[in-house]
Each structure stands twice: as structure tokens, then as C-alpha cells.
Amino acid sequence: MIINHPLLGPRDASEFTYLGDAALLKRPNPKAETAANDFYRYQYLRDNPPGEHRELWYHEQGDRSWLVVTRNTLTHDITKVELARYVARSLK
């Protein structure tokens, strides 16, 4: 699988480490009344949807950047690759 890195161009997926659902970028509010339950769900409960899914990938054997890759989990087709720092900023 080839990941088209936004800064470095096409790279083989073997350079990256898969880190899970990109929803992890949106951490629960630790001051909320439901914080304990929210953090439990954040840490342990994950969806595994078929089809389009946003995932975190780490460029371990490269520039050490974090990416959000939108990938079809059935076909492995990648439709979008973004730097995670920009995605995280847009969540605030």
C-alpha cells in the first residue's frame, strides 16, 4: 500500500506505523461530570467500521510526522492524507 505523504510524496506503508482511529485526536474534557466514563470509552471502546475510515499513521521510518489517512477498510484505497496537526487544530 502506498501512502501519499503531504510533504514527502508517495511512500510505502512499511515506513509507517498504524496507530488506530483518528477520533483519538479529540480527547474528552477531563473537567466534565462524565469524565471517567468518557475516558473509559475513549481508551477502550473502538469502532471497526467497514468502508471509509479515518486512521492515525505515524511516519516512523521517515520524518516522524503523524498523518490522518482516510482509507477504505475493505479495499485499502486511500482517498485522503492530511497532517494530523492540522486536523487536530480544526477540532478545537
Side-chain angles (χ1 to χ4, degrees):
M1 183 168 65
I2 301 296
I3 296 176
N4 193 17
H5 194 292
L7 302 175
L8 305 174
R11 295 285 187 254
D12 189 80
S14 65
E15 293 184 16
F16 296 84
T17 301
Y18 171 78
L19 296 167
D21 190 343
L24 293 175
L25 291 174
K26 188 169 183 172
R27 293 179 54 104
N29 179 358
K31 296 180 181 179
E33 283 186 29
T34 59
N37 187 46
D38 294 345
F39 273 97
Y40 171 80
R41 294 180 59 73
Y42 173 81
Q43 181 68 31
Y44 296 109
L45 303 180
R46 302 276 164 58
D47 291 332
N48 190 14
E52 290 281 314
H53 187 63
R54 293 177 79 199
E55 306 167 331
L56 283 173
W57 289 74
Y58 178 63
H59 197 190
E60 184 173 25
Q61 296 179 23
D63 68 343
R64 303 204 185 278
S65 59
W66 292 74
L67 303 177
V68 173
V69 175
T70 304
R71 179 177 71 91
N72 186 310
T73 59
L74 300 173
T75 64
H76 298 294
D77 289 336
I78 295 174
T79 56
K80 190 173 186 180
V81 180
E82 308 165 86
L83 291 171
R85 64 179 172 233
Y86 297 136
V87 175
R89 286 180 190 154
S90 71
L91 296 175
K92 292 183 179 184

